[in-house]
Amino acid sequence: MGPLLGARVLAEFGDDPTRYASAKARKNYAGISPVSRASGKKKIALARFIHNDRLIDALLAQAFSALRLSPGVRASYDRQRARGTGRNAGLRQLANRLVGILHGCLKTGTLYDETTAWSHHAESVTAWHQSSQDVFRVCGMGAGPGCSACCAECDRVGATPTQGCGG
């Protein structure tokens, strides 16, 4: 999350550290957690209709930008999409998870750590890094911080790790 988006999220959540008793309370205030509806034998989860538009917009922008930069977020999103979740629902689920992570960081006073936050996706993250390194070898881009830029370029042109993007 960049400085402008971070300031926007902080302004919408407020700066009182005791305002939210739990991550669930923060997610509910944000309007990013799903609403469960049950009737008879059916149970479904729907998006909330009433929410703070500015906050939800900032959180979805954070989730979308994290897709390019975080292998843990990408692995989680890909897993959701493989289960048949739509793009918007997948982004909402990512934003919900990121709000929980944000709450934990604020409550404990720790910095965000990729390996701790997405440790339950460790196998997927390792596989993602391996495929990214294959793309780097083919594309000629060195492995490093530009990893997501190369992968995004390969995705944009529809190349596979064996073809490369030529970038």
Side-chain angles (χ1 to χ4, degrees):
M1 180 179 334
L4 291 177
L5 193 57
R8 189 169 158 197
V9 169
L10 180 62
E12 293 299 328
F13 273 132
D15 59 354
D16 181 12
T18 62
R19 183 173 183 183
Y20 305 101
S22 67
K24 184 175 182 178
R26 190 178 294 269
K27 291 175 184 181
N28 288 341
Y29 174 77
I32 204 77
S33 60
V35 175
S36 297
R37 305 247 188 236
S39 174
K41 295 181 182 179
K42 292 180 99 178
K43 183 177 180 182
I44 59 173
L46 301 170
R48 291 180 185 267
F49 290 108
I50 299 174
H51 54 259
N52 180 336
D53 288 336
R54 289 182 301 272
L55 179 56
I56 200 133
D57 186 39
L59 293 172
L60 290 176
Q62 175 198 6
F64 186 72
S65 66
L67 275 175
R68 291 184 306 117
L69 303 173
S70 169
V73 171
R74 172 51 77 178
S76 177
Y77 180 76
D78 289 344
R79 184 173 291 157
Q80 292 295 329
R81 294 286 289 153
R83 290 190 333 191
T85 304
R87 286 183 302 192
N88 285 335
L91 277 178
R92 278 194 313 270
Q93 290 174 11
L94 280 182
N96 190 27
R97 174 87 173 117
L98 290 169
V99 168
I101 293 169
L102 172 69
H103 180 78
C105 290
L106 291 174
K107 187 172 184 140
T108 60
T110 58
L111 296 176
Y112 173 78
D113 180 26
E114 178 82 18
T115 56
T116 304
W118 302 98
S119 60
H120 59 286
H121 292 288
E123 315 83 44
S124 302
V125 171
T126 304
W128 186 83
H129 273 300
Q130 182 59 44
S131 67
S132 297
Q133 289 172 357
D134 292 342
V135 171
F136 290 138
R137 278 193 227 84
V138 175
C139 297
M141 294 181 74
C147 164
S148 58
C150 179
C151 292
E153 180 64 17
C154 285
D155 288 344
R156 188 183 68 75
V157 297
T160 64
T162 56
Q163 295 170 329
C165 63

